[in-house]
Amino acid sequence: GELLLRDPETGEELELFTAATTTTTTTTTTTTTAPPPVNNGNIKYYPSFDIHTYADGACLINDDSMPELYATQEGYLFDTIEACCVDWFIDEDGCIAASSSSSSSGQHVPTPSPTSSTDWPTWPVEFDYNDDYLYDDTIVPQEEDASTVPMSSSSSTQEEEVDDDASLTFHESFESGDFSLNDWQLTSSSGADSWEADQTAWAYDGNYAARPGILSTPNSYSNLTISLENIQAMKHGGYLTFAIHASVFYPVDTMFFTINDNVIRKFDTVTGNEGEWEEVSVLLHAGEHHLTWSYQYLGDESSSSVEVVDPRRVENSWVDAIKLRPFTGDVTIADDDSTTLSLTRGTVPFKLLPDFEAYSGSKAYVAFTEAIDVPQGSADMSWTVYVGPEGGVISFASFASLYTPLDVCEFAIDGVPQVVIATPSDEWEVHHVSVDPGKHVLTWKLIKNVSGLDEAIINDVDVPADYKGYIKIDGIKLEDNSVPGADDEVVAAASEQIPDTTTTTATRTPITTTTTTTEATTTTTTTTTEEPTTTTAATTTATTEEPTTTTTTTTTTTTEFIGCPSGLFEVEGLPGCCVEEASYLGDGACDPKAPYNTEACAYDLAPYNTEACAYDLGDCCHETCNPDSAYGCVTKEGGEYGPFGFFCIDPRFGNIDEKKCQVDNLEWIGDGGCDTEGGYNTPECGWDGGDCCEETCDSHYSFYPCGMNQPFTCMDPSVINKELTRSDFHFDFFDGFESGVSDPLHWSMGNGDAPWNVEDVKPAAEGNYYIAARTSQISSQFGKAVLQHSIESFGGGVLSFDIQALVQIPFDDVIIMIDDDIVAEFTSGTLGWENLEYNITPGPHLVQWIHRKNPSNMPESDLTLFGYPDEGVTMIDNVAFKSA
């Protein structure tokens, strides 16, 4: 019952009063207020909605502070304070008291208003959101320019995580200047230098980093290995990260990262621009793991078979900041926990406040729309979690007093909205959302004016009687499907698990440059028919490898393996994979002849695309091909190389029976051209790798344009017999509004008088949701609601969408415009949903759907002659654009 108050004249904080004392003080202030001044005929009063200053509203003199809009719009200027307060505010007495005090003093100063009881919130609505609070003494600084805060988490920048070293179960940044802090194993080929820990301005974490030895003998290597076998966290696995700056250039040299002798990442070009590191993350299953960073020098950069070498290759390669975190596991946020969640993002923070109606316990996390004192802003709350390989579920309860378009609350994972709350709650609602494996930022965001509407439009929105503008979050719980209970026994072996990796890019600016030039040799390199091109490593990649062998000790091998046939060589990290040219593995071009397409070579048939070679190190399947590789998986017709196709026989992703698919040209499978003769378009060959059906031909990976030179001849029964929906087709853009909210990155409201809202009031064309404009929400007698979408197409294409227009001229109509041209107009209601398509020429275009009220600007007296039709509404669904 204790409240913080400030002196209305000085703003100084007063001592704490009990609720009863506050009521008495307020009543006294109200009864002693000076009477309203007498209007001399020139004075007008306008409503002020500054609820921070006037908790119950106020009507002020029409001075320079009055918004210009009020002078031109009816209903904003009054002759007396009483008339203004009666017309605009629920608490008339409080409004009159505040207005009278303001008018008598000549200043806009706050006056305490009579306290009235409400069901919710249980704390005063005039609570100063930025002051110290009895239950939370953290003062959060405001943004310098709150107007620039992003409105949707889908476009917001996630906060940078600050490592808590205490939470790490393994950490190595080589700050000792050697490898003595952990049990590192340094191995290399005969006569080659070992890895070293050196002080360098390139360091990613601290002042030291590890670099491989300087090698000059072709086919030599240097390995850095650590065994994670005695770490308590490995009982349940963990989230491994490390930073790497690889200064390599294939075919001169390359780097590998392996787990239990299985290649997880291959680096064959310089990682990014000068000064740029890549941070690699790996989900480790429970059990022992042997991690190896291997540098391999392959040949002489002066050889005639080598293209122009990237000059940045002469720099040293580095590895740094190796960290292992335990998975977050099963966590329930305690009732008094104000530290696990980050409450300080956005325009204003969430608050952990007492709540006698909390979902769990006696407190809840709360944010108020009125606390966001900018036209458009947000209150954010976030939590960074590390989820195990089997994924998990985040659950929470919400109670809302919100109303679109005034405010919405969205819950997002890594900036992608998963739950949108836009209407008032009758009771606590519990939400369950699946969370994928890996690191994720969970965000709860209360957004004010998500559509960015003008203040005049916002003020004119009719809201429910019980609207108060807040969101409460409680009962937050994370359940990890991968982490067993404390009493469960973990028996999984490391070699039986599938390590998952992702890569992100981080930038460090060096102070100085450490340069080491390798010694040239005269070794001759044999020229091969497949010449990789140089590419710069991209910022994000994803790789999944499935090892089949069990290795419990670290093994170092030379380039030539005794068990391989004459003329073939065993590949480092891929036991049993014997090939003629190791560089073909993982180069982004499928080598469909064995042994490259094998499991040991990560699936690249005789000898590359075999099980032993991990199926060409992923090159032969869309899901595993590395876009950062030399060929990038996407060679196209007209280029210097290809076609390579995608003869995907990896059982995890492919549907090809390599023993029964006996065709002459394996590289024709999955190249985009439908081969109707020769046994290609058969179930044994995966229906030509999907090339013969429009629904399965992948234009992104295909060498030839799908269906262009070799028309589709679809015989795949899974496609022919399937009842397709629009979401089954490949579009450059598609929005069926099934998220329950319009994405501000793709949609804008234009220069209109009312918004378009995503709703599910009527049956949608497909799914549950559509976006709609209603005549009743257009306040102007001659107004409109404008929905806009921009298209940028280099080759043109086709725009399609579903529309249902329930309009009737002269009351309302709807027009559709592409740039400055009206392409369609509806003046009467449609018989259900209709699908429209329009050809779009190359270049930028603006598409507008305009729902108009009284488009002929007919006087209201004349409109009544036509009767009173049902409410006009235009609904749009399944907006799609497909490039030519």
Side-chain angles (χ1 to χ4, degrees), residues 606-637:
Y608 294 87
N609 192 13
T610 62
E611 183 177 2
C613 291
Y615 305 101
D616 202 12
L617 204 58
D619 289 342
C620 293
C621 299
H622 298 162
E623 295 83 354
T624 53
C625 191
N626 183 3
D628 297 334
S629 55
Y631 289 95
C633 313
V634 288
T635 55
K636 297 294 182 181
E637 183 180 20

mmCIF file of all heavy atoms in Angstrom, residues 606-637:
data_model
loop_
_atom_site.group_PDB
_atom_site.id
_atom_site.type_symbol
_atom_site.label_atom_id
_atom_site.label_comp_id
_atom_site.label_asym_id
_atom_site.label_seq_id
_atom_site.Cartn_x
_atom_site.Cartn_y
_atom_site.Cartn_z
ATOM 1 N N ALA A 606 31.931 -44.146 -56.970
ATOM 2 C CA ALA A 606 33.260 -44.692 -57.206
ATOM 3 C C ALA A 606 34.256 -43.618 -57.585
ATOM 4 O O ALA A 606 34.357 -43.316 -58.745
ATOM 5 C CB ALA A 606 33.179 -45.737 -58.295
ATOM 6 N N PRO A 607 35.118 -43.053 -56.696
ATOM 7 C CA PRO A 607 35.204 -43.377 -55.279
ATOM 8 C C PRO A 607 34.754 -42.232 -54.357
ATOM 9 O O PRO A 607 34.852 -42.348 -53.158
ATOM 10 C CB PRO A 607 36.688 -43.629 -55.093
ATOM 11 C CG PRO A 607 37.335 -42.674 -56.050
ATOM 12 C CD PRO A 607 36.378 -42.512 -57.204
ATOM 13 N N TYR A 608 34.307 -41.058 -54.869
ATOM 14 C CA TYR A 608 34.056 -39.914 -54.001
ATOM 15 C C TYR A 608 32.714 -39.998 -53.272
ATOM 16 O O TYR A 608 32.634 -39.773 -52.077
ATOM 17 C CB TYR A 608 34.116 -38.606 -54.811
ATOM 18 C CG TYR A 608 35.493 -38.309 -55.342
ATOM 19 C CD1 TYR A 608 35.910 -38.821 -56.568
ATOM 20 C CD2 TYR A 608 36.375 -37.534 -54.613
ATOM 21 C CE1 TYR A 608 37.181 -38.569 -57.045
ATOM 22 C CE2 TYR A 608 37.656 -37.267 -55.084
ATOM 23 C CZ TYR A 608 38.060 -37.788 -56.302
ATOM 24 O OH TYR A 608 39.314 -37.535 -56.772
ATOM 25 N N ASN A 609 31.633 -40.291 -54.017
ATOM 26 C CA ASN A 609 30.296 -40.292 -53.436
ATOM 27 C C ASN A 609 30.004 -41.637 -52.793
ATOM 28 O O ASN A 609 29.179 -42.412 -53.257
ATOM 29 C CB ASN A 609 29.275 -39.976 -54.532
ATOM 30 C CG ASN A 609 27.891 -39.667 -53.959
ATOM 31 O OD1 ASN A 609 27.748 -39.458 -52.773
ATOM 32 N ND2 ASN A 609 26.894 -39.654 -54.818
ATOM 33 N N THR A 610 30.716 -41.939 -51.708
ATOM 34 C CA THR A 610 30.575 -43.198 -50.997
ATOM 35 C C THR A 610 30.415 -42.941 -49.520
ATOM 36 O O THR A 610 30.709 -41.851 -49.023
ATOM 37 C CB THR A 610 31.810 -44.101 -51.211
ATOM 38 O OG1 THR A 610 32.954 -43.435 -50.676
ATOM 39 C CG2 THR A 610 32.018 -44.403 -52.683
ATOM 40 N N GLU A 611 29.952 -43.964 -48.821
ATOM 41 C CA GLU A 611 29.759 -43.829 -47.383
ATOM 42 C C GLU A 611 31.068 -43.526 -46.679
ATOM 43 O O GLU A 611 31.118 -42.750 -45.732
ATOM 44 C CB GLU A 611 29.130 -45.111 -46.831
ATOM 45 C CG GLU A 611 28.825 -45.061 -45.338
ATOM 46 C CD GLU A 611 28.148 -46.337 -44.864
ATOM 47 O OE1 GLU A 611 27.962 -47.249 -45.696
ATOM 48 O OE2 GLU A 611 27.822 -46.414 -43.672
ATOM 49 N N ALA A 612 32.155 -44.129 -47.163
ATOM 50 C CA ALA A 612 33.451 -43.932 -46.514
ATOM 51 C C ALA A 612 33.928 -42.490 -46.629
ATOM 52 O O ALA A 612 34.669 -42.003 -45.777
ATOM 53 C CB ALA A 612 34.480 -44.883 -47.108
ATOM 54 N N CYS A 613 33.537 -41.821 -47.696
ATOM 55 C CA CYS A 613 33.984 -40.442 -47.914
ATOM 56 C C CYS A 613 32.930 -39.416 -47.520
ATOM 57 O O CYS A 613 32.928 -38.291 -48.018
ATOM 58 C CB CYS A 613 34.390 -40.238 -49.372
ATOM 59 S SG CYS A 613 35.893 -41.135 -49.834
ATOM 60 N N ALA A 614 32.004 -39.816 -46.635
ATOM 61 C CA ALA A 614 30.970 -38.903 -46.149
ATOM 62 C C ALA A 614 30.227 -38.246 -47.299
ATOM 63 O O ALA A 614 29.828 -37.090 -47.233
ATOM 64 C CB ALA A 614 31.558 -37.852 -45.212
ATOM 65 N N TYR A 615 30.059 -39.025 -48.394
ATOM 66 C CA TYR A 615 29.297 -38.588 -49.560
ATOM 67 C C TYR A 615 29.812 -37.267 -50.128
ATOM 68 O O TYR A 615 29.108 -36.265 -50.165
ATOM 69 C CB TYR A 615 27.807 -38.518 -49.213
ATOM 70 C CG TYR A 615 27.299 -39.830 -48.658
ATOM 71 C CD1 TYR A 615 27.127 -40.009 -47.289
ATOM 72 C CD2 TYR A 615 27.041 -40.905 -49.495
ATOM 73 C CE1 TYR A 615 26.695 -41.213 -46.765
ATOM 74 C CE2 TYR A 615 26.608 -42.120 -48.985
ATOM 75 C CZ TYR A 615 26.442 -42.273 -47.622
ATOM 76 O OH TYR A 615 26.022 -43.476 -47.112
ATOM 77 N N ASP A 616 31.094 -37.346 -50.548
ATOM 78 C CA ASP A 616 31.769 -36.176 -51.136
ATOM 79 C C ASP A 616 31.775 -34.992 -50.174
ATOM 80 O O ASP A 616 31.695 -33.839 -50.581
ATOM 81 C CB ASP A 616 31.106 -35.787 -52.461
ATOM 82 C CG ASP A 616 32.055 -34.980 -53.336
ATOM 83 O OD1 ASP A 616 33.257 -34.919 -53.022
ATOM 84 O OD2 ASP A 616 31.591 -34.394 -54.319
ATOM 85 N N LEU A 617 31.856 -35.310 -48.903
ATOM 86 C CA LEU A 617 31.856 -34.298 -47.832
ATOM 87 C C LEU A 617 30.664 -33.356 -47.970
ATOM 88 O O LEU A 617 30.747 -32.156 -47.760
ATOM 89 C CB LEU A 617 33.164 -33.501 -47.833
ATOM 90 C CG LEU A 617 33.556 -32.851 -46.485
ATOM 91 C CD1 LEU A 617 33.672 -33.904 -45.396
ATOM 92 C CD2 LEU A 617 34.869 -32.113 -46.626
ATOM 93 N N GLY A 618 29.504 -33.965 -48.366
ATOM 94 C CA GLY A 618 28.257 -33.200 -48.406
ATOM 95 C C GLY A 618 27.926 -32.559 -49.726
ATOM 96 O O GLY A 618 26.855 -31.962 -49.865
ATOM 97 N N ASP A 619 28.820 -32.644 -50.737
ATOM 98 C CA ASP A 619 28.607 -31.910 -51.985
ATOM 99 C C ASP A 619 27.390 -32.355 -52.774
ATOM 100 O O ASP A 619 26.867 -31.581 -53.593
ATOM 101 C CB ASP A 619 29.840 -32.040 -52.892
ATOM 102 C CG ASP A 619 31.032 -31.260 -52.380
ATOM 103 O OD1 ASP A 619 30.821 -30.362 -51.544
ATOM 104 O OD2 ASP A 619 32.162 -31.553 -52.806
ATOM 105 N N CYS A 620 26.900 -33.586 -52.583
ATOM 106 C CA CYS A 620 25.893 -34.160 -53.475
ATOM 107 C C CYS A 620 24.463 -34.028 -52.967
ATOM 108 O O CYS A 620 23.533 -34.525 -53.603
ATOM 109 C CB CYS A 620 26.206 -35.625 -53.747
ATOM 110 S SG CYS A 620 27.737 -35.846 -54.704
ATOM 111 N N CYS A 621 24.248 -33.352 -51.853
ATOM 112 C CA CYS A 621 22.893 -33.125 -51.334
ATOM 113 C C CYS A 621 22.724 -31.641 -51.011
ATOM 114 O O CYS A 621 23.649 -30.994 -50.497
ATOM 115 C CB CYS A 621 22.623 -33.955 -50.075
ATOM 116 S SG CYS A 621 22.723 -35.741 -50.324
ATOM 117 N N HIS A 622 21.549 -31.103 -51.320
ATOM 118 C CA HIS A 622 21.290 -29.690 -51.027
ATOM 119 C C HIS A 622 21.497 -29.394 -49.550
ATOM 120 O O HIS A 622 22.028 -28.333 -49.184
ATOM 121 C CB HIS A 622 19.849 -29.317 -51.399
ATOM 122 C CG HIS A 622 19.538 -29.486 -52.856
ATOM 123 N ND1 HIS A 622 18.249 -29.550 -53.326
ATOM 124 C CD2 HIS A 622 20.340 -29.589 -53.949
ATOM 125 C CE1 HIS A 622 18.273 -29.693 -54.644
ATOM 126 N NE2 HIS A 622 19.530 -29.729 -55.041
ATOM 127 N N GLU A 623 21.037 -30.329 -48.686
ATOM 128 C CA GLU A 623 21.034 -30.059 -47.257
ATOM 129 C C GLU A 623 22.431 -30.001 -46.656
ATOM 130 O O GLU A 623 22.623 -29.396 -45.595
ATOM 131 C CB GLU A 623 20.211 -31.133 -46.517
ATOM 132 C CG GLU A 623 18.736 -31.156 -46.852
ATOM 133 C CD GLU A 623 18.422 -31.943 -48.127
ATOM 134 O OE1 GLU A 623 19.377 -32.387 -48.825
ATOM 135 O OE2 GLU A 623 17.234 -32.126 -48.414
ATOM 136 N N THR A 624 23.420 -30.634 -47.305
ATOM 137 C CA THR A 624 24.759 -30.717 -46.712
ATOM 138 C C THR A 624 25.822 -29.991 -47.518
ATOM 139 O O THR A 624 26.956 -29.866 -47.051
ATOM 140 C CB THR A 624 25.181 -32.193 -46.555
ATOM 141 O OG1 THR A 624 25.048 -32.864 -47.821
ATOM 142 C CG2 THR A 624 24.285 -32.899 -45.537
ATOM 143 N N CYS A 625 25.496 -29.513 -48.707
ATOM 144 C CA CYS A 625 26.488 -28.816 -49.526
ATOM 145 C C CYS A 625 26.822 -27.465 -48.893
ATOM 146 O O CYS A 625 25.928 -26.701 -48.498
ATOM 147 C CB CYS A 625 25.947 -28.610 -50.942
ATOM 148 S SG CYS A 625 27.203 -28.052 -52.119
ATOM 149 N N ASN A 626 28.098 -27.171 -48.779
ATOM 150 C CA ASN A 626 28.565 -25.965 -48.092
ATOM 151 C C ASN A 626 28.575 -24.780 -49.060
ATOM 152 O O ASN A 626 29.371 -24.746 -50.001
ATOM 153 C CB ASN A 626 29.971 -26.213 -47.534
ATOM 154 C CG ASN A 626 30.492 -25.029 -46.744
ATOM 155 O OD1 ASN A 626 29.801 -24.031 -46.558
ATOM 156 N ND2 ASN A 626 31.724 -25.136 -46.269
ATOM 157 N N PRO A 627 27.724 -23.775 -48.856
ATOM 158 C CA PRO A 627 27.688 -22.630 -49.778
ATOM 159 C C PRO A 627 28.952 -21.789 -49.751
ATOM 160 O O PRO A 627 29.169 -20.972 -50.644
ATOM 161 C CB PRO A 627 26.471 -21.827 -49.288
ATOM 162 C CG PRO A 627 26.318 -22.214 -47.855
ATOM 163 C CD PRO A 627 26.745 -23.641 -47.768
ATOM 164 N N ASP A 628 29.816 -21.972 -48.735
ATOM 165 C CA ASP A 628 31.059 -21.208 -48.651
ATOM 166 C C ASP A 628 32.209 -21.906 -49.364
ATOM 167 O O ASP A 628 33.345 -21.434 -49.315
ATOM 168 C CB ASP A 628 31.444 -20.991 -47.186
ATOM 169 C CG ASP A 628 30.406 -20.169 -46.446
ATOM 170 O OD1 ASP A 628 29.698 -19.395 -47.113
ATOM 171 O OD2 ASP A 628 30.301 -20.313 -45.223
ATOM 172 N N SER A 629 31.940 -23.031 -50.011
ATOM 173 C CA SER A 629 32.986 -23.791 -50.695
ATOM 174 C C SER A 629 33.362 -23.123 -52.015
ATOM 175 O O SER A 629 32.764 -22.116 -52.428
ATOM 176 C CB SER A 629 32.499 -25.223 -50.936
ATOM 177 O OG SER A 629 31.267 -25.217 -51.636
ATOM 178 N N ALA A 630 34.365 -23.709 -52.684
ATOM 179 C CA ALA A 630 34.916 -23.079 -53.888
ATOM 180 C C ALA A 630 33.866 -22.874 -54.974
ATOM 181 O O ALA A 630 33.809 -21.829 -55.622
ATOM 182 C CB ALA A 630 36.080 -23.930 -54.419
ATOM 183 N N TYR A 631 33.007 -23.881 -55.201
ATOM 184 C CA TYR A 631 31.983 -23.762 -56.238
ATOM 185 C C TYR A 631 30.656 -23.260 -55.690
ATOM 186 O O TYR A 631 29.762 -22.892 -56.444
ATOM 187 C CB TYR A 631 31.775 -25.117 -56.933
ATOM 188 C CG TYR A 631 32.940 -25.515 -57.815
ATOM 189 C CD1 TYR A 631 33.950 -26.335 -57.330
ATOM 190 C CD2 TYR A 631 33.049 -25.041 -59.112
ATOM 191 C CE1 TYR A 631 35.025 -26.702 -58.127
ATOM 192 C CE2 TYR A 631 34.120 -25.387 -59.917
ATOM 193 C CZ TYR A 631 35.110 -26.225 -59.420
ATOM 194 O OH TYR A 631 36.167 -26.566 -60.207
ATOM 195 N N GLY A 632 30.485 -23.280 -54.383
ATOM 196 C CA GLY A 632 29.303 -22.710 -53.760
ATOM 197 C C GLY A 632 28.018 -23.448 -54.014
ATOM 198 O O GLY A 632 26.939 -22.913 -53.738
ATOM 199 N N CYS A 633 28.066 -24.653 -54.607
ATOM 200 C CA CYS A 633 26.895 -25.517 -54.800
ATOM 201 C C CYS A 633 25.938 -25.012 -55.877
ATOM 202 O O CYS A 633 24.891 -25.627 -56.116
ATOM 203 C CB CYS A 633 26.090 -25.684 -53.486
ATOM 204 S SG CYS A 633 27.100 -26.060 -52.045
ATOM 205 N N VAL A 634 26.221 -23.903 -56.540
ATOM 206 C CA VAL A 634 25.231 -23.276 -57.427
ATOM 207 C C VAL A 634 25.831 -22.873 -58.770
ATOM 208 O O VAL A 634 25.616 -21.755 -59.239
ATOM 209 C CB VAL A 634 24.574 -22.050 -56.750
ATOM 210 C CG1 VAL A 634 23.633 -22.472 -55.648
ATOM 211 C CG2 VAL A 634 25.646 -21.105 -56.199
ATOM 212 N N THR A 635 26.606 -23.759 -59.419
ATOM 213 C CA THR A 635 27.079 -23.438 -60.759
ATOM 214 C C THR A 635 25.893 -23.369 -61.712
ATOM 215 O O THR A 635 24.917 -24.108 -61.578
ATOM 216 C CB THR A 635 28.068 -24.504 -61.250
ATOM 217 O OG1 THR A 635 27.456 -25.795 -61.172
ATOM 218 C CG2 THR A 635 29.328 -24.495 -60.402
ATOM 219 N N LYS A 636 25.976 -22.454 -62.694
ATOM 220 C CA LYS A 636 24.858 -22.194 -63.592
ATOM 221 C C LYS A 636 25.272 -22.329 -65.054
ATOM 222 O O LYS A 636 26.453 -22.172 -65.404
ATOM 223 C CB LYS A 636 24.283 -20.800 -63.339
ATOM 224 C CG LYS A 636 23.694 -20.593 -61.948
ATOM 225 C CD LYS A 636 22.468 -21.450 -61.716
ATOM 226 C CE LYS A 636 21.865 -21.203 -60.343
ATOM 227 N NZ LYS A 636 20.678 -22.068 -60.104
ATOM 228 N N GLU A 637 24.267 -22.583 -65.913
ATOM 229 C CA GLU A 637 24.491 -22.680 -67.345
ATOM 230 C C GLU A 637 25.078 -21.373 -67.856
ATOM 231 O O GLU A 637 24.659 -20.284 -67.464
ATOM 232 C CB GLU A 637 23.176 -22.979 -68.064
ATOM 233 C CG GLU A 637 23.320 -23.166 -69.566
ATOM 234 C CD GLU A 637 21.995 -23.455 -70.255
ATOM 235 O OE1 GLU A 637 20.943 -23.128 -69.650
ATOM 236 O OE2 GLU A 637 22.011 -23.975 -71.368
#
